Amino acid sequence: MKSEFAKEVVKAIEAGMHGSPFDVLGMHRREGRRPGVVVSSFQPYAKEVCVVDKGDGTHYSLSKIGADGFFEGIIADREIFEYRLRITGYDGSFIEVEDPYAFQPLISDFDLYLFGEGTDYRTYEKLGAHFRVVNDVAGIHFAVWAPNALRTSIINEFNRWDGRCLPMQQRGNSGLWELFVPGMKPGDLYKFEIKGPDGFLGQKADPYGFAAELRPRTASVVWDVRRYGWNDGEWMEQRRERQWHKEPISVYELHLSSWRRVPEEGNRWMTYRELADSLIPYVKEMGFTHIETLPVSEHPFDGSWGYQTIGYYAPTSRFGTPDDFMYFVDCCHREGIGVRWDWVPAHFPKDGHGLAYFDGTHLYEHADPRQGEHRDWGTLIFNYGRNEVKTFLLSNALFWADVYHIDGLRVDAVASMLYLDYSREAGEWIPNEFGGRENLRAVEFLKRFNELVHEQYPGFTTFAEESTAWPMVSRPTYLGGLGFDFKWNMGWMHDTLEYMSKEPVHRKYHHSNITFSLLYAFTENFILPFSHDEVVYGKRSMLDKMPGDAWQKFANLRLLYGYMYAHPGKKLLFMGADVAQWNEWNYQSSVEWNLLDFLPHQQANQCLASLNHLYRRIPELHEIDFSWEGFEWIDFHDSDQSTVSFLRKTDNPDGKHTACVFNFTPVPRMNYRMGVPALGYYREIFNSDAADFGGSNVINGGGVMSEDVAWMGQPCSIAISLPPLSAVWFRYEG
């Protein structure tokens, strides 16, 4: 039989080199000849292929034209009709399937325009793999951006991962390829095979894939992310009205792989649902307001802790399915706990199945290594100047807020995004168009990110991990800021830990480490972090950083936490510090929960819980964190005794305030006089030296009356017993 198509076309289909398969495959009218239709199908593993009329069941055999499985048949005197393909294998078995090339592309021209323009911020609703019913036929619609590809195909188990079998249709000049595949369903595995320029042939996971196989496997998994039934409506409605700058935020940062493992079952990870049952009650009991996880998005290398992301739209399969992760978030919300996690739009790994060199060109990254390579981490930097790349990332941020009800994102490595010369020597970077070192495209991206998430999801919060003096990180974009809600106070963290690591006898020579932070405390909306980065790679655990013998180490740690919770700024503490762990964090093992069998660790844990609950209950400790109106020094000059004291205040007319004093030496100070603003009773609401916390129990009998004795610039004063290595808070009761 003579083919309707030229030999070159048949060979191109069989070789997987045809970029417009709908021109050849499927059913087409015969033009200029005897009326009828021609049907073509490429089935390299079939012995026979028939067309089955859906209307009357008539079978029409196709002839094998090419050597590698190109089948074709002419059906005379027929107009286009609905049909299926009956495919018979060499073993005699057969299946009857819908022909993907009987279904026209689904993405509209308007969607293509918005995508190219970079203004479609919900591209996850079109790209990737989506369950669809087209002409009463169920299947999965696939779409991927690969503008420089010569051919893009869907490969899966059904077609034996053969890229010749399901070539996708290119949509004009948009760079998008799409195909509706009938019969595929949620749970099916797939990848994109991309034939690019210069002989490139890659098998890529879906950049917009909603689920992925567990490493070391690398396929994407079809998933319907809209099927979960949420029960957190009350939380979500209330979140819209929350004024987070005036509310307590105490974040429990954790790494899901190593928070708690199951040693009796091979030290396996806990699942999302198991974490919901154990982590949430613990966090609630401890008084934390939020959980912040290290990146949840899919990543191939455990040792990256999630910071080298491959699946930006897929929660990692290590702990369960996307539905399981939704259940975890849902349970947190129903218990009044917010959920945020670390987001990494700064860089991505070079793994062959990921975004790197995606279509045989530098698509998501810069081609020039002076712009496109992160030498510190061996990763690639996103090209923020490309509309489609910005849309990929901006849509991703909205995706987690929309689909997973995430309450906020902490953006990792912001400093590396802002500066073109970040960690580069002279000659290793390219200045911007004005000759400066600022990455203007990244700045624009960060601003737009913050504008979008706040416009579309009121109550959603963003945090910047930014370690430089870039101005106005946490100020609105309309004032010239980057638009973040909060910025991690890396300077405070560094200075405080450096000070606390000193032997107390030497602390008087480093007094400014404790007082300096108040010179800039209100220039940004700061969060005070003791994060995972501070308890790894030889930096020692929080407890082991403290000097002295065992008793002094615990006392110093309680003092540190008392100082942190009194200091202006929201709070963040990494797991393990809550049980006063001796060892550094190890991502391959659990927090050392067995330490809670020992009294000093129990008491340190109880001290932290008390701080959290007090912090949430006492308005002056959190209502005015970002302005001088909420803070007043009492005394910051006493370097010889290594003590500082200050007031935390509110703008309420009742005049309530809390006086906080800190003794950074092991010397108790009896009849220590401290200035206070008013006459009346000052109740001792926290004392880190209390016996219940493992201290020496130098306490003040529940509180003290102030005296009409001016002191330290205050009109009144109290005479107190100031314990060794202690934080003590007194609340004015009138």
Side-chain angles (χ1 to χ4, degrees):
M1 174 181 174
K2 183 180 178 181
S3 172
E4 289 286 299
F5 298 99
K7 290 181 180 180
E8 292 77 10
V9 173
V10 174
K11 288 182 179 179
I13 290 290
E14 291 183 328
M17 287 297 294
H18 201 291
S20 187
F22 275 82
D23 292 348
V24 181
L25 302 176
M27 181 179 287
H28 300 269
R29 286 188 180 89
R30 300 182 75 199
E31 300 294 341
R33 302 185 183 187
R34 180 181 173 184
V37 295
V38 58
V39 182
S40 301
S41 182
F42 178 62
Q43 303 294 339
Y45 306 105
K47 180 180 180 182
E48 298 175 357
V49 178
C50 292
V51 172
V52 181
D53 189 326
K54 286 187 181 182
D56 59 17
T58 304
H59 286 53
Y60 302 94
S61 293
L62 304 184
S63 299
K64 189 174 183 180
I65 301 300
D68 290 332
F70 187 92
F71 289 82
E72 181 187 88
I74 299 171
I75 305 172
D77 301 320
R78 292 293 305 267
E79 292 295 324
I80 300 293
F81 61 89
E82 293 185 356
Y83 67 96
R84 292 188 182 91
L85 296 175
R86 181 185 173 96
I87 302 170
T88 303
Y90 286 95
D91 61 357
S93 62
F94 67 88
I95 57 172
E96 204 168 287
V97 298
E98 300 284 348
D99 186 356
Y101 302 97
F103 298 86
Q104 293 302 306
L106 302 179
I107 297 178
S108 71
D109 290 340
F110 184 60
D111 287 332
L112 297 178
Y113 172 78
L114 293 179
F115 178 73
E117 187 182 53
T119 55
D120 184 350
Y121 300 121
R122 296 186 186 271
T123 50
Y124 57 87
E125 295 178 343
K126 290 107 179 172
L127 274 69
H130 296 268
F131 177 77
R132 297 282 188 265
V133 177
V134 182
N135 298 333
D136 296 325
V137 176
I140 303 299
H141 176 256
F142 295 91
V144 65
W145 180 55
N148 302 300
L150 304 176
R151 185 260 298 165
T152 301
S153 299
I154 300 156
I155 56 176
N156 55 26
E157 293 172 305
F158 177 74
N159 64 27
R160 306 187 190 187
W161 305 95
D162 187 336
R164 301 172 300 163
C165 295
L166 285 174
M168 303 173 75
Q169 181 72 13
Q170 189 172 21
R171 297 299 310 278
N173 297 321
S174 68
L176 291 181
W177 301 72
E178 66 171 308
L179 185 67
F180 175 71
V181 183
M184 285 193 69
K185 60 189 183 305
D188 288 348
L189 304 178
Y190 71 100
K191 281 187 178 182
F192 296 117
E193 183 175 278
I194 299 176
K195 186 179 287 289
D198 301 322
F200 174 83
L201 184 66
Q203 293 187 350
K204 295 289 189 175
D206 185 355
Y208 286 86
F210 294 148
E213 285 188 293
L214 178 62
R215 56 96 178 105
R217 295 184 176 91
T218 58
S220 299
V221 182
V222 177
W223 205 267
D224 182 0
V225 294
R226 295 296 189 182
R227 69 185 183 184
Y228 181 82
W230 288 89
N231 298 288
D232 64 345
E234 183 178 357
W235 169 273
M236 296 298 287
E237 186 62 31
Q238 291 178 355
R239 192 184 76 180
R240 295 175 56 87
E241 308 301 325
R242 302 290 285 269
Q243 301 296 317
W244 288 113
H245 291 88
K246 295 184 176 181
E247 296 202 28
I249 294 180
S250 178
V251 181
Y252 187 55
E253 186 193 32
L254 72 145
H255 179 238
L256 291 175
S257 294
S258 56
W259 181 72
R260 190 189 294 272
R261 294 202 173 193
V262 186
E264 59 271 21
E265 297 180 23
N267 202 37
R268 69 166 176 84
W269 306 304
M270 298 187 78
T271 67
Y272 291 122
R273 291 180 181 266
E274 288 172 329
L275 287 163
D277 292 339
S278 57
L279 172 61
I280 294 172
Y282 174 76
V283 168
K284 190 172 182 180
E285 179 184 0
M286 288 296 294
F288 290 101
T289 63
H290 290 75
I291 288 169
E292 180 177 314
T293 74
L294 275 58
V296 172
S297 46
E298 194 59 80
H299 53 283
F301 177 45
D302 292 1
S304 77
W305 314 332
Y307 288 98
Q308 294 192 11
T309 297
I310 288 288
Y312 273 81
Y313 288 81
T316 178
S317 57
R318 288 166 173 79
F319 319 115
T321 69
D323 287 8
D324 294 334
F325 183 56
M326 292 179 193
Y327 174 82
F328 172 77
V329 176
D330 202 2
C331 290
C332 286
H333 286 173
R334 282 184 280 162
E335 293 299 324
I337 297 170
V339 182
R340 56 176 58 95
W341 59 274
D342 291 0
W343 188 51
V344 193
H347 61 112
F348 58 92
K350 299 177 180 179
D351 297 65
H353 67 287
L355 299 176
Y357 212 62
F358 188 77
D359 64 354
T361 67
H362 297 283
L363 191 61
Y364 286 87
E365 71 273 22
H366 294 273
D368 192 323
R370 292 175 297 173
Q371 296 173 293
E373 187 168 357
H374 225 310
R375 296 183 179 179
D376 287 354
W377 303 313
T379 54
L380 299 173
I381 300 170
F382 282 104
N383 182 352
Y384 306 108
R386 194 159 195 169
N387 284 344
E388 297 89 346
V389 174
K390 284 191 299 183
T391 298
F392 171 78
L393 292 170
L394 293 171
S395 293
N396 186 239
L398 295 178
F399 168 81
W400 292 106
D402 172 23
V403 174
Y404 284 92
H405 293 199
I406 295 297
D407 301 297
L409 293 172
R410 176 263 199 185
V411 181
D412 182 62
V414 171
S416 76
M417 300 172 68
L418 294 174
Y419 298 99
L420 295 166
D421 63 345
Y422 183 87
S423 195
R424 295 178 186 272
E425 301 295 332
E428 296 179 345
W429 58 282
I430 300 176
N432 62 36
E433 54 263 47
F434 303 106
R437 57 195 285 256
E438 299 81 10
N439 188 336
L440 302 179
R441 304 294 175 264
V443 171
E444 177 191 1
F445 163 75
L446 289 170
K447 289 182 176 182
R448 190 69 186 121
F449 153 70
N450 279 303
E451 290 167 353
L452 278 174
V453 295
H454 290 116
E455 287 169 5
Q456 300 194 22
Y457 295 97
F460 190 93
T461 51
T462 60
F463 297 72
E465 191 238 350
E466 203 285 307
S467 55
T468 74
W470 187 281
M472 302 177 68
V473 171
S474 57
R475 296 294 182 260
T477 58
Y478 62 81
L479 295 177
L482 291 182
F484 286 93
D485 292 292
F486 304 99
K487 174 182 173 176
W488 276 27
N489 195 335
M490 312 292 278
W492 173 88
M493 176 191 68
H494 177 270
D495 289 348
T496 301
L497 290 179
E498 183 176 348
Y499 179 83
M500 292 300 298
S501 68
K502 305 292 184 186
E503 290 288 344
V505 69
H506 300 304
R507 285 175 177 168
K508 64 181 180 180
Y509 303 111
H510 304 274
H511 198 66
S512 62
N513 282 19
I514 283 294
T515 60
F516 179 68
S517 62
L518 269 300
L519 291 178
Y520 63 87
F522 310 116
T523 59
E524 299 277 4
N525 301 330
F526 282 121
I527 185 166
L528 310 180
F530 290 136
S531 74
H532 63 279
D533 278 329
E534 303 313 308
V535 291
V536 73
Y537 295 145
K539 295 179 183 178
R540 299 185 293 172
S541 71
M542 292 294 290
L543 179 64
D544 199 33
K545 292 177 192 290
M546 303 297 110
D549 59 22
W551 188 93
Q552 289 185 339
K553 283 181 179 290
F554 278 97
N556 271 301
L557 188 65
R558 297 191 303 268
L559 163 59
L560 173 61
Y561 291 165
Y563 168 71
M564 172 189 185
Y565 275 79
H567 192 288
K570 309 307 181 185
K571 326 299 176 188
L572 180 141
L573 191 68
F574 186 59
M575 65 179 198
D578 48 322
V579 299
Q581 188 165 300
W582 284 104
N583 293 316
E584 279 189 341
W585 169 49
N586 180 352
Y587 75 91
Q588 295 177 308
S589 62
S590 172
V591 168
E592 297 172 354
W593 295 106
N594 61 299
L595 292 175
L596 291 180
D597 294 335
F598 301 95
L599 186 59
H601 297 274
Q602 290 177 20
Q603 293 169 324
N605 184 256
Q606 181 184 349
C607 177
L608 179 61
S610 296
L611 284 167
N612 266 324
H613 288 289
L614 279 170
Y615 167 67
R616 297 177 67 168
R617 181 169 59 85
I618 306 299
E620 52 265 35
L621 295 178
H622 60 255
E623 282 189 352
I624 309 179
D625 265 326
F626 310 121
S627 171
W628 279 106
E629 285 79 5
F631 176 90
E632 182 181 345
W633 279 116
I634 296 175
D635 180 31
F636 61 88
H637 296 293
D638 194 359
S639 58
D640 284 344
Q641 297 189 95
S642 295
T643 64
V644 295
S645 53
F646 54 73
L647 297 170
R648 293 303 309 275
K649 303 181 291 183
T650 70
D651 54 7
N652 292 332
D654 60 11
K656 285 292 178 67
H657 54 270
T658 296
C660 307
V661 58
F662 308 92
N663 180 6
F664 292 100
T665 72
V667 179
R669 307 190 186 283
M670 301 298 125
N671 294 313
Y672 181 87
R673 186 164 291 276
M674 180 173 67
V676 292
L679 283 174
Y681 187 66
Y682 281 80
R683 181 175 300 279
E684 186 179 61
I685 60 172
F686 176 77
N687 187 326
S688 67
D689 192 55
D692 287 345
F693 300 151
S696 58
N697 211 36
V698 176
I699 57 176
N700 289 276
V704 293
M705 291 292 297
S706 63
E707 303 172 43
D708 190 11
V709 177
W711 201 260
M712 300 176 177
Q714 298 291 334
C716 306
S717 58
I718 54 177
I720 62 172
S721 298
L722 185 57
L725 297 174
S726 65
V728 189
W729 301 352
F730 296 90
R731 191 169 194 235
Y732 177 67
E733 293 191 350

